[in-house]
Amino acid sequence: MGITPGNPKYRYIYAAWAFLECLGFGGLIYGWNSLVYVLKDEGLYLDLCGDDEDKAQVTAVTIVSIDGNSTNSYNSSNPTPSVTSGYSLSDDDKKCDARDARLALVFTVASAMFCVACFVMGQINFKFGTRVTRLCAAAAFISGTLMVAFTSNDVPWLIFPGLSLLGGGGITYLMTNAQISLLFPAGGSAVVGLFCGGFDASSGIQLMVKLGYENGVTRFTSYIILSCAHLLTLVSTFFFMPKDFIKKPTEVNKNSKQVADKEDTGVELIDPSQKVEDKEDSSDGPIPSLRSCLLSPSYMLHVAWLAILQLRFYYLIASLNRLMEMRLDHNEVSHYTNVMMYTLMCGLFTSPFAGMVYDFHIRLFKGSQSKVRRQLMPAVIPLALTTLLCILLSGVIIIRTPEMFYLVFVLVLFFRSFLYTMGAGFISNLFPGEYFGMLYGIMILVGGIVSFFQYAFFEWAEASSFEQVNIFVLIMVCVTFLHPIYQWWVSRRAEQSLIVQE
């Protein structure tokens, strides 16, 4: 008999395939530092360089071949030259504030649209189910890869919608695959962490594009190959994943120890055409309405927590290439860019670790008398740890020693893993599974709106200094400690009220 979509019996196959999807296509937008290195080397937006007063004058810009045996030049009053992978711009030509600002705007718009797309896909997922959502994601991703592939000095604006669609299509696979964790009643957060790890490590795909570019494989060829490979996601869309949803299993009695070991997880499919607000849960009563979930203090604080920390992360990604150019020479920038991408690929291990930390605390508090404490208390330490990692990162980045970049990359690795694992895991654990796409999408949308401030930070840094902005961001990040503190306070109050009643 063939594999039935959503059948718990084949959950390990689903999880393995979902992990490969997230690894190959999920978070390519976070490999921006590798891609922007290639775009700069090709001379994209080089026509923006030069003094505004001298735009009409002819300015010669030297293009030096990688082997150093030949040179070429062009005039800035003419269209930007077509720079092939066989040429590299000199260091002086690469340092151009106007072009850096334009490329920072590319990532700002793309990261914001990435979040908007997540919200839109969440709406589609809620109304039409998993299959339609994934088909929309495939169309967006392939369109994005083609636009990035055809981006050139003649049509540089294609990078804006291209990177946006690339990110929006990719995040949808993490969003739709997260429901597979419901097939694992013991260790579901670790499964979400595994998917987030693949999502994190997928930034290494952009590193492969960069390494291929340096060895004669054009960016166009790499993205065409990526576009064709993406068709493999249709296998999961039609054969592994359900057409609708995987339903969250009912909570078992806290004194029962056998259920977690059973093969039958109690997972079933639901029809999105039905009003999930009216569904009854035999164990816990009516499923709460979507509105009550959206307006709950825990959810709103979680959205604010992720939005602020994600803003810090996006600003780091957008400004890191510029920061390295200010402190390092061209060869060192290439070296540290490669090291960063290699380090971030280790998210394969750190994100599941973040999920295991969350699962450990879930098991630690499963004996609590209060259901509120069983749900909220396990997230307190992981949420606080994520904020602490971000504070350390914001402090270390201020240090001007080049070797400190290695520590920055390690801190980014753990911070990002905990940020997105807890971002998804907290919602998955606290709210009904059928609301996950909607709640996660709204959270990412708010994060995307807030992320527009990264461009203001970039302009502020160019006008004053990156150190000044990073000190402000460091203070801003400290505010996110309110989220775990509130969850701890609610959990403690709920547990004490039960003790008083007894």
Side-chain angles (χ1 to χ4, degrees), residues 69-248:
N69 294 327
S70 62
T71 61
N72 193 8
S73 64
Y74 81 101
N75 293 328
S76 62
S77 59
N78 294 329
T80 307
S82 177
V83 182
T84 66
S85 60
Y87 292 91
S88 176
L89 300 175
S90 65
D91 289 348
D92 290 338
D93 297 330
K94 287 177 178 295
K95 297 175 181 178
C96 170
D97 290 344
R99 184 175 55 163
D100 287 334
R102 180 63 58 87
L103 291 172
L105 182 61
V106 170
F107 183 77
T108 299
V109 172
S111 57
M113 291 301 103
F114 159 84
C115 297
V116 171
C118 186
F119 170 74
V120 173
M121 290 298 183
Q123 297 278 349
I124 294 173
N125 186 52
F126 181 71
K127 294 182 178 180
F128 301 103
T130 302
R131 184 168 299 171
V132 172
T133 306
R134 289 172 62 88
L135 289 175
C136 292
F141 188 94
I142 292 175
S143 298
T145 54
L146 292 176
M147 288 181 182
V148 175
F150 283 97
T151 296
S152 67
N153 297 302
D154 295 325
V155 282
W157 56 268
L158 277 177
I159 191 64
F160 280 92
L163 195 65
S164 300
L165 290 171
L166 198 68
I171 187 64
T172 307
Y173 293 103
L174 177 61
M175 182 179 68
T176 56
N177 286 329
Q179 61 184 308
I180 293 176
S181 67
L182 300 177
L183 299 172
F184 296 83
S189 296
V191 174
V192 173
L194 179 67
F195 297 161
C196 290
F199 184 83
D200 291 347
S202 65
S203 60
I205 299 296
Q206 300 284 26
L207 175 60
M208 294 174 63
V209 173
K210 176 179 178 291
L211 294 177
Y213 170 82
E214 293 174 338
N215 288 277
V217 180
T218 65
R219 171 173 51 84
F220 176 84
T221 301
S222 296
Y223 272 88
I224 292 298
I225 293 173
L226 185 62
S227 180
C228 294
H230 189 73
L231 295 174
L232 290 172
T233 61
L234 297 179
V235 174
S236 179
T237 299
F238 288 101
F239 298 104
F240 294 169
M241 298 296 291
K243 181 180 179 182
D244 299 321
F245 301 106
I246 296 174
K247 184 181 179 182
K248 187 174 184 178

